[in-house]
Amino acid sequence: MTASTVEIGGERGWTPVCAYGDLIAGRGVAALVEGEQVAIFRDRTGEVYALANRDPFSGAYVMSRGIVGRRGDVPTVASPMYKQAFDLRTGECLDEETAPDGSSAVLRTWMVRVRE
């Protein structure tokens, strides 16, 4: 029996990052994909998401350590720094539109697939 592999889609194609079974529901991990830090999450329903690992409010690369949850039907991750919540599907901050430097408070998202 082969393990399912989580892959992240980037400009150069699909990059395998880990086995699906290595992801713990409700927790995140960080991976380097095409030179960028990516935070990968598996929620309690089994869905897998990939967002930028850099918190736009603190500038720290810590999103993979965030708290996974929900706001209604929206799967979220809360920054471990200042606790802003981000939509895991779109990367949008649900609490503030802009970061302290005036930039948009939206995390980049990546395509994710699980291959058998």
Side-chain angles (χ1 to χ4, degrees):
M1 177 178 211
T2 60
S4 300
T5 302
V6 176
E7 298 179 338
I8 305 297
E11 293 177 12
R12 297 182 210 135
W14 293 95
T15 302
V17 292
C18 66
Y20 178 80
D22 290 342
L23 295 176
I24 299 169
R27 310 260 328 253
V29 298
L32 192 61
V33 178
E34 297 180 1
E36 293 190 52
Q37 287 191 34
V38 179
I40 304 159
F41 300 93
R42 178 176 154 193
D43 71 10
R44 298 197 188 284
T45 69
E47 289 293 318
V48 181
Y49 306 92
L51 306 166
N53 197 35
R54 185 180 177 275
D55 175 1
F57 293 92
S58 69
Y61 290 85
V62 295
M63 293 306 297
S64 62
R65 298 180 189 173
I67 300 165
V68 176
R70 296 190 82 75
R71 282 202 185 165
D73 293 334
V74 178
T76 62
V77 61
S79 168
M81 299 299 287
Y82 301 121
K83 310 302 184 250
Q84 287 90 351
F86 294 85
D87 185 328
L88 283 169
R89 303 166 303 178
T90 65
E92 291 182 53
C93 181
L94 302 176
D95 299 314
E96 300 180 49
E97 292 183 13
T98 56
D101 66 2
S103 65
S104 176
V106 177
L107 299 173
R108 177 181 173 190
T109 59
W110 278 265
M111 294 182 295
V112 181
R113 70 182 181 190
V114 179
R115 297 212 37 188
E116 299 298 321

